Amino acid sequence: MHDAQHPFHTLTPNFIMDAVESQGFRCDCRTSALNSYENRVYQVGIEEEKPLIAKFYRPGRWSDDQIIEEHRFTLELAGHELSVVAPWLNQAGASLFHYKGFRFALYPRQGGHAPEFDNDANLLILGRMLGRIHSIGAVRPFEHRPALTSGDFGYDSSAFIAERFIPDEYRESYQAVTRQLLQGIDDAFASVPQLACVRAHGDCHAGNILWRDDAPHFVDFDDARMAPAVQDLWMMLSGDRPRQLAQLAQLVKGYREFYDFNPAELRLIEPLRALRMMHYSAWLARRWDDPAFPVAFPWFNTVRYWGEHLLQLREQLAALDEPPLELP
């Protein structure tokens, strides 16, 4: 069966517990899958101790050096007393482990709920936290992890979709709108003088922030890259323009207590949103052979989906021409 050929098919409860026990733990036979598609993540019960979170990496996505670099970044942040969920280290100081063809890491369990982005006090706290993260992220660049660019997020994504997935009746229109989008994105990035990138979370949406005890706890740095600082801010904005301006003011107010923010980066919000849209559809397409994806995203790769996606890209092209948000 095609499903059985996918590597993740071998991640049975026994396999997961054997992998965790290879690091000296004793499992209590309780395992539960958590919401994750790019990798596979499980909560694993440990005898006489708190449960652990075991993250099994998708084969072929990141190199060992790239995964370890992400781990070192989160450990560096945790070493500065920032509330990020960093991986467990064994006595040898290793955080990435190998077991029968899989690479995995172990994390402490962190509870919490999604932050309230409509709460100004929460936004101020989130801004402070991101300012602290970026002040450390700016100390040195990633050596192994790539930067967020229009090349892999935009050009590569649109070429993959046009070649392998878009229905014939939409291909010409798709290529035309993505060509215009990519030109607008490149023009926007070129218009920001002396654009500086930092080591960033990269995927800073509500699902990757757990709010507990009046504080945010940042999780899942799997998409960490060199990126403009605004990449970690724009996904917290929602609603109409006046509401987004109010949210932005609170975020940047807190951010600037710990790190400088270049307001010229605000013109990159819509270009970054466009790149995320193209990258997301290509991500689904590239993972379509994973049996979890057709089950979780049954609406993808239908004629209706591509028609709606094309409409969204056209709307995003118009958004590039709108005046960018401004700070008060």
Side-chain angles (χ1 to χ4, degrees), residues 9-319:
H9 180 80
T10 63
L11 292 179
T12 63
N14 283 338
F15 186 100
I16 294 163
M17 288 187 290
D18 287 345
V20 173
E21 290 187 341
S22 74
Q23 293 305 308
F25 295 97
R26 291 181 60 84
C27 299
D28 64 7
C29 297
R30 293 180 298 167
T31 64
S32 57
L34 302 182
N35 187 24
S36 178
Y37 297 104
E38 180 61 16
N39 305 296
R40 293 294 189 269
V41 182
Y42 304 89
Q43 179 172 297
V44 182
I46 305 298
E47 288 189 2
E48 300 181 358
E49 295 184 41
K50 294 181 179 179
L52 288 173
I53 304 302
K55 177 179 181 179
F56 291 81
Y57 290 90
R58 178 175 292 273
R61 186 190 179 210
W62 294 124
S63 68
D64 283 8
D65 286 339
Q66 289 170 329
I67 296 173
I68 292 170
E69 192 167 47
E70 175 231 320
H71 290 180
R72 296 309 178 203
F73 180 41
T74 57
L75 288 163
E76 183 182 357
L77 295 174
H80 285 81
E81 298 183 345
L82 291 176
S83 186
V84 300
V85 180
W88 172 79
L89 296 172
N90 65 12
Q91 291 184 345
S95 58
L96 181 64
F97 314 112
H98 294 76
Y99 185 79
K100 293 186 178 180
F102 277 95
R103 296 169 299 171
F104 72 99
L106 300 173
Y107 292 83
R109 183 180 62 175
Q110 174 65 57
H113 57 83
E116 298 176 5
F117 290 152
D118 286 331
N119 184 312
D120 286 351
N122 287 2
L123 290 171
L124 187 66
I125 293 171
L126 285 164
R128 289 170 178 157
M129 181 72 165
L130 285 171
R132 295 181 67 193
I133 289 175
H134 289 174
S135 69
I136 297 166
V139 170
R140 67 183 65 86
F142 282 133
E143 295 182 6
H144 303 287
R145 289 197 154 238
L148 193 166
T149 68
S150 63
D152 57 352
F153 269 56
Y155 287 92
D156 290 351
S157 295
S158 60
F160 182 83
I161 291 298
E163 179 182 349
R164 303 191 188 185
F165 270 79
I166 197 78
D168 290 342
E169 60 264 38
Y170 289 133
R171 180 172 290 107
E172 185 174 344
S173 296
Y174 177 83
Q175 290 175 319
V177 72
T178 53
R179 184 165 53 247
Q180 294 177 72
L181 266 176
L182 289 166
Q183 183 61 60
I185 291 166
D186 288 341
D187 290 346
F189 272 81
S191 73
V192 179
Q194 299 179 332
L195 177 62
C197 292
V198 299
R199 290 178 293 172
H201 184 285
D203 193 26
C204 207
H205 58 76
N208 284 333
I209 305 171
L210 297 174
W211 197 272
R212 186 175 183 180
D213 300 328
D214 296 323
H217 307 273
F218 285 66
V219 302
D220 196 4
F221 281 71
D222 194 62
D223 288 297
R225 293 171 177 257
M226 298 299 298
V230 75
Q231 170 64 14
D232 282 349
L233 298 175
W234 73 264
M235 277 181 266
M236 299 185 190
L237 307 178
S238 61
D240 58 19
R241 185 180 179 89
R243 182 56 195 152
Q244 289 189 43
L245 289 170
Q247 293 169 331
L248 179 66
Q250 291 299 311
L251 282 170
V252 174
K253 179 181 178 181
Y255 188 95
R256 282 177 164 166
E257 292 182 20
F258 294 93
Y259 194 62
D260 188 33
F261 180 77
N262 179 7
E265 289 189 19
L266 295 177
R267 70 188 71 172
L268 300 180
I269 290 178
E270 295 307 326
L272 287 167
R273 192 191 313 275
L275 287 176
R276 185 175 178 84
M277 292 167 64
M278 286 188 282
H279 181 260
Y280 181 70
S281 64
W283 173 68
L284 290 173
R286 290 188 173 106
R287 302 294 183 254
W288 206 237
D289 65 336
D290 182 336
F293 276 68
V295 174
F297 310 100
W299 38 262
F300 178 71
N301 203 31
T302 62
V303 172
R304 178 177 178 179
Y305 168 81
W306 290 113
E308 292 176 348
H309 181 60
L310 185 58
L311 177 60
Q312 291 168 349
L313 292 179
R314 286 173 174 153
E315 292 173 346
Q316 192 59 27
L317 181 61

